[in-house]
Amino acid sequence: MGSYYYLISGLPEVKLSDSKAKYDINEITQSILSGLSGKDAKLFNYFIYQNDNKNLANAIAVSKGLFSPYNIHLEPSNFSKEEIQKYSNLSNLPNYMAKFLEDNKNTEWENIRHIENSLLNLYYEEMINTGNGFIREYALFMRNLKNILAALNGRALGFSGDLIFKELIGDYPLINVLTKSTAADFGLGKEVPYINNIIETFNSSDKADPYNMENIECSLVNEFLEKATSIKSFTTDNLFAYYINLTYAVSINGRNEEEGKK
């Protein structure tokens, strides 16, 4: 776990609460990558792969004639728009992405969400097994968070357990609980100590807001990152946490700009 005092000190402050703040995420990303060791840059790429995942899911959905909410190529990314559109010919893929494409050559997808969830399952599994403690804990947290939120949303929409299962990522013990338990907290109060916070945030949120789920996720991820880096300074963990918050800030500010144009 390297120390990056000068690199982190030179980065612009990220304020999730400031909807008017402007960030050039492409420039910041390149600045970070240029200052990292080769080993740390390889780990950092997992956070850029989040855009590559959506770009790949979009390319597959479009090729299958399915609706996609991603009407632009998301940047920063490791693969260009031209490269991702020819995804079957891509080289230098991360292992999880190569496995996903190989395993799903003949899959008939119902919608883009199922494409994304299948890809995310392998993405999180690979992150969990990187050997990096922060990335492992972040991947475990995100996989659980997304699944709990999806299950809560499914409940709110009146979905059966079978329908909820189709909206979740992976197939591990938590999935069985989320699809079969009728308890308010899915009986997970001890195993997932933050679940009541998730449920409280979800229940008090504005369900009519189209960005409701992202707002909840952003709030809870920020809390996780603060706890994960509370006793650390200028390490790769701090740098990774900074970048995760930056991606949320850019997303939130971007949609505010779109709303302002309407």
Side-chain angles (χ1 to χ4, degrees):
M1 181 163 50
S3 176
Y4 289 103
Y5 175 83
Y6 292 106
L7 176 57
I8 294 174
S9 297
L11 295 171
E13 183 180 2
V14 172
K15 296 180 179 179
L16 291 169
S17 58
D18 186 354
S19 61
K20 295 182 179 179
K22 303 291 184 183
Y23 307 100
D24 187 335
I25 191 170
N26 288 310
E27 181 179 316
I28 295 172
T29 301
Q30 290 308 311
S31 175
I32 291 173
L33 283 170
S34 66
L36 292 175
S37 68
K39 179 181 177 181
D40 290 340
K42 186 175 180 180
L43 292 172
F44 181 77
N45 270 330
Y46 279 105
F47 304 104
I48 303 176
Y49 286 143
Q50 293 179 112
N51 280 344
D52 289 300
N53 290 340
K54 292 177 180 177
N55 290 334
L56 176 58
N58 173 69
I60 294 172
V62 170
S63 73
K64 304 292 184 182
L66 300 173
F67 167 77
S68 172
Y70 308 125
N71 54 12
I72 60 170
H73 182 81
L74 299 174
E75 295 283 357
S77 61
N78 287 288
F79 303 100
S80 69
K81 181 178 180 179
E82 293 71 25
E83 288 174 322
I84 212 74
Q85 287 177 339
K86 300 177 181 178
Y87 58 86
S88 59
N89 299 322
L90 277 174
S91 59
N92 300 319
L93 290 169
N95 291 334
Y96 78 90
M97 201 176 282
K99 177 174 172 53
F100 169 80
L101 290 174
E102 179 64 29
D103 291 351
N104 293 284
K105 282 182 177 179
N106 301 311
T107 301
E108 293 296 326
W109 300 104
E110 289 184 39
N111 55 55
I112 191 172
R113 185 174 181 82
H114 293 169
I115 299 172
E116 273 194 277
N117 284 353
S118 181
L119 181 57
L120 283 174
N121 178 40
L122 296 175
Y123 169 67
Y124 288 136
E125 283 186 1
E126 186 164 308
M127 291 176 77
I128 289 166
N129 291 294
T130 58
N132 178 277
F134 177 90
I135 289 179
R136 170 184 167 80
E137 292 306 312
Y138 172 71
L140 288 168
F141 175 82
M142 289 302 298
R143 185 175 66 172
N144 285 347
L145 174 59
K146 285 182 178 292
N147 281 331
I148 292 169
L149 287 174
L152 286 169
N153 197 49
R155 270 187 177 180
L157 294 171
F159 286 6
S160 66
D162 289 342
L163 284 177
I164 289 175
F165 177 81
K166 294 175 71 174
E167 302 303 314
L168 304 183
I169 300 166
D171 189 7
Y172 61 109
L174 178 68
I175 302 300
N176 185 57
V177 174
L178 294 176
T179 55
K180 295 184 177 179
S181 175
T182 57
D185 66 351
F186 300 99
L188 293 168
K190 292 183 178 179
E191 291 81 357
V192 186
Y194 54 82
I195 192 169
N196 287 324
N197 189 19
I198 295 175
I199 293 171
E200 181 180 347
T201 305
F202 180 85
N203 289 337
S204 63
S205 65
D206 180 4
K207 308 293 190 302
D209 183 348
Y211 302 111
N212 179 52
M213 297 295 278
E214 184 183 29
N215 292 338
I216 297 171
E217 184 179 305
C218 177
S219 172
L220 294 167
V221 169
N222 183 247
E223 289 181 18
F224 165 81
L225 294 175
E226 286 183 353
K227 291 178 181 177
T229 59
S230 61
I231 59 172
K232 302 173 184 178
S233 299
F234 308 111
T235 68
T236 50
D237 291 4
N238 299 96
L239 192 60
F240 295 157
Y242 169 89
Y243 193 77
I244 293 166
N245 275 328
L246 175 65
T247 60
Y248 280 107
V250 169
S251 176
I252 291 170
N253 293 354
R255 77 194 192 203
N256 286 338
E257 282 187 13
E258 289 300 313
E259 289 297 316
K261 294 176 183 178
K262 294 179 181 179

